[in-house]
Amino acid sequence: MTPSNPHLAPVDVPDAAALAQVQRLCDLTEPYVRGPAEEELFAAAMAESNAWHRERSPFFRSLYDGERQETPYDAPLVHANFFKRHEVLSIPRDDVHLHLTSSGTTGQKSQMFFDEWTIRSAQRMVARIFERNGWITPDQPVNYLLYSYEPARDLKLGTAFTDNYLCDFAPARQVEYALRATGNGHEFDPFGCVAALRRFAEDDAPVRILGFPAFLWFTLERMRAMGLPPLQLPEDSLVILGGGWKGHTDQQIGKHELYARVTEQLGIPSERIRDTFGSVEHCIPYIECSHHNLHAPVWSRVFIRSTRTLEPLAYGERGYLHLVSPYITSVPAQSVVMGDLASLHPGEECDCELDTDWFTVHGRAGVSRNKSCAVAAAELMKGMS
């Protein structure tokens, strides 16, 4: 039987013998199943991943064989900022299928390289979460408003790649971009966004709004400033946000206030508005449940680490977000400490039907001159509000 979306199709690890448990783990079809059998499989897959990178990456081998603190699944910690200054691969460059960066036109960029297995495996995870939520609709065209970068030559930003990829889950009737290519970068087009939403409201096709939440907020504010009445977008419209408010925290509002304004001004109910978390260094999809919490899928584990000692912290305590997954074979990024402050919570503290742990992101740790793609994008909003 042909999958309803090509991204659900089977994909094979680079070495079936060396990565048999990684294959088994990533072939799990239920995104949020969790139990002793899944935990045993995850540990076995991490052991294979560590062995894979130790054999192929001198950098990882030096970490693995050197003195280090105990870590879950025996995987040394690598900070995401490391990839802003170093290119480290566990595959020959000829096997690089995709090269993405994490930042905009300024600031240091994480250089991440993906073989075909790694990127297709991550895409299949996204597809399985979308399938579980009923968001793969091959027979229902939709209108897209993408709060991300219009495609341009040499554009390799991870956020642009992700948002364009998410358009594969429903055929496009129309596609509009909020960040328009000017030939010399990108420029936020608030009036174009307002015009697109008003046009889409007159159509019978559902609307999918994807991308940076800050731009959506500025569009809603512009609509209000223009004295426009609320719109009622068609039933089954969907909002999937990602990228955060980095660089403009003085203008940031709470997500529940944003969701309420989306419902008020666009007519999309709260359960059809979801935020996400992801990064080019760790492509596992974290997508909010119907109660707006970021649950860990079966293919990853989440920990919180002290900002002072990097020791693991208990549920509810704030520290660095530590993300672990054996899916990646191209770069030794199977155990990455992010620059985000977060807290972890047990599954039973969420009222949704999912049992896995979930986390809340509280912002970036410290002050850095490095700019993520969200920061670069936020700079385009100056003067727009």
Side-chain angles (χ1 to χ4, degrees):
M1 180 175 169
T2 302
S4 57
N5 184 279
H7 297 298
L8 289 166
V11 54
D12 295 328
V13 290
D15 186 323
L19 299 168
Q21 305 311 312
V22 172
Q23 180 80 66
R24 285 185 59 212
L25 177 72
C26 294
D27 281 346
L28 294 176
T29 58
E30 170 49 54
Y32 300 104
V33 65
R34 184 64 55 85
E38 288 76 28
E39 181 56 36
E40 182 179 350
L41 176 58
F42 190 91
M46 281 300 300
E48 288 183 342
S49 179
N50 291 336
W52 173 271
H53 291 293
R54 184 183 180 280
E55 181 178 338
R56 291 163 176 79
S57 168
F59 160 72
F60 183 77
R61 183 164 56 249
S62 67
L63 281 183
Y64 194 84
D65 294 345
E67 290 188 16
R68 53 188 171 88
Q69 60 188 168
E70 278 191 37
T71 56
Y73 310 105
D74 202 30
L77 307 177
V78 181
H79 198 284
N81 281 345
F82 175 83
F83 299 106
K84 297 184 184 297
R85 296 176 174 83
H86 305 278
E87 295 182 6
V88 290
L89 286 84
S90 299
I91 56 171
R93 284 193 176 265
D94 288 347
D95 290 344
V96 172
H97 181 73
L98 181 69
H99 171 210
L100 295 176
T101 67
S102 64
S103 65
T105 55
T106 59
Q108 293 171 305
K109 305 177 182 183
S110 286
Q111 303 289 331
M112 293 300 291
F113 303 87
F114 303 93
D115 54 8
E116 187 173 6
W117 154 262
T118 298
I119 196 62
R120 286 190 59 200
S121 179
Q123 289 176 324
R124 188 169 58 161
M125 295 173 192
V126 177
R128 282 177 171 153
I129 294 175
F130 267 59
E131 182 183 47
R132 187 186 187 280
N133 283 290
W135 299 339
I136 297 181
T137 59
D139 299 322
Q140 174 60 71
V142 305
N143 291 315
Y144 288 97
L145 176 54
L146 303 184
Y147 282 97
S148 59
Y149 297 89
E150 184 177 19
R153 178 178 293 186
D154 298 327
L155 183 67
K156 295 181 178 180
L157 296 176
T159 50
F161 176 84
T162 299
D163 288 337
N164 283 290
Y165 162 68
L166 293 181
C167 294
D168 287 351
F169 297 121
R173 180 175 291 185
Q174 297 182 62
V175 179
E176 296 290 342
Y177 287 87
L179 301 183
R180 304 301 304 273
T182 65
N184 188 32
H186 287 80
E187 184 174 301
F188 177 43
D189 180 14
F191 292 107
C193 294
V194 172
L197 288 170
R198 298 181 73 183
R199 187 171 67 253
F200 293 166
E202 298 301 318
D203 198 348
D204 60 356
V207 179
R208 293 197 175 187
I209 299 172
L210 312 174
F212 296 116
F215 289 107
L216 175 56
W217 171 250
F218 274 81
T219 301
L220 297 176
E221 287 285 88
R222 184 58 57 94
M223 290 174 62
R224 179 168 283 185
M226 293 169 65
L228 297 178
L231 302 175
Q232 181 61 56
L233 296 183
E235 188 178 0
D236 292 333
S237 291
L238 179 67
V239 178
I240 303 289
L241 302 172
W245 293 68
K246 307 177 188 73
H248 276 260
T249 54
D250 58 323
Q251 301 176 65
Q252 181 174 351
I253 62 167
K255 67 179 182 179
H256 294 292
E257 181 181 353
L258 173 60
Y259 297 171
R261 284 284 294 275
V262 171
T263 300
E264 175 191 343
Q265 291 184 256
L266 303 181
I268 300 177
S270 177
E271 63 270 16
R272 302 282 297 179
I273 308 168
R274 308 289 180 94
D275 199 4
T276 66
F277 181 89
S279 73
V280 73
E281 300 92 356
H282 178 89
C283 292
I284 301 294
Y286 300 94
I287 300 177
E288 283 186 344
C289 67
S290 59
H291 289 255
H292 303 298
N293 291 317
L294 294 163
H295 290 260
V298 67
W299 313 290
S300 78
R301 299 293 184 270
V302 179
F303 304 92
I304 305 297
R305 295 196 162 268
S306 166
T307 57
R308 186 173 60 86
T309 67
L310 291 181
E311 292 295 323
L313 298 179
Y315 284 132
E317 296 188 56
R318 296 189 183 191
Y320 288 128
L321 183 62
H322 174 206
L323 303 173
V324 178
S325 176
Y327 83 105
I328 187 167
T329 53
S330 53
V331 173
Q334 72 272 40
S335 178
V336 180
V337 177
M338 308 302 296
D340 302 272
L341 286 176
S343 58
L344 187 65
H345 307 270
E348 57 266 25
E349 288 188 3
C350 180
D351 292 331
C352 78
E353 75 281 6
L354 306 181
D355 295 327
T356 62
D357 287 354
W358 53 275
F359 63 94
T360 298
V361 177
H362 301 288
R364 299 288 289 181
V367 177
S368 172
R369 299 186 323 188
N370 298 334
K371 297 178 181 178
S372 71
C373 51
V375 173
E379 289 177 343
L380 297 176
M381 293 192 296
K382 291 180 179 178
M384 295 291 184
S385 57

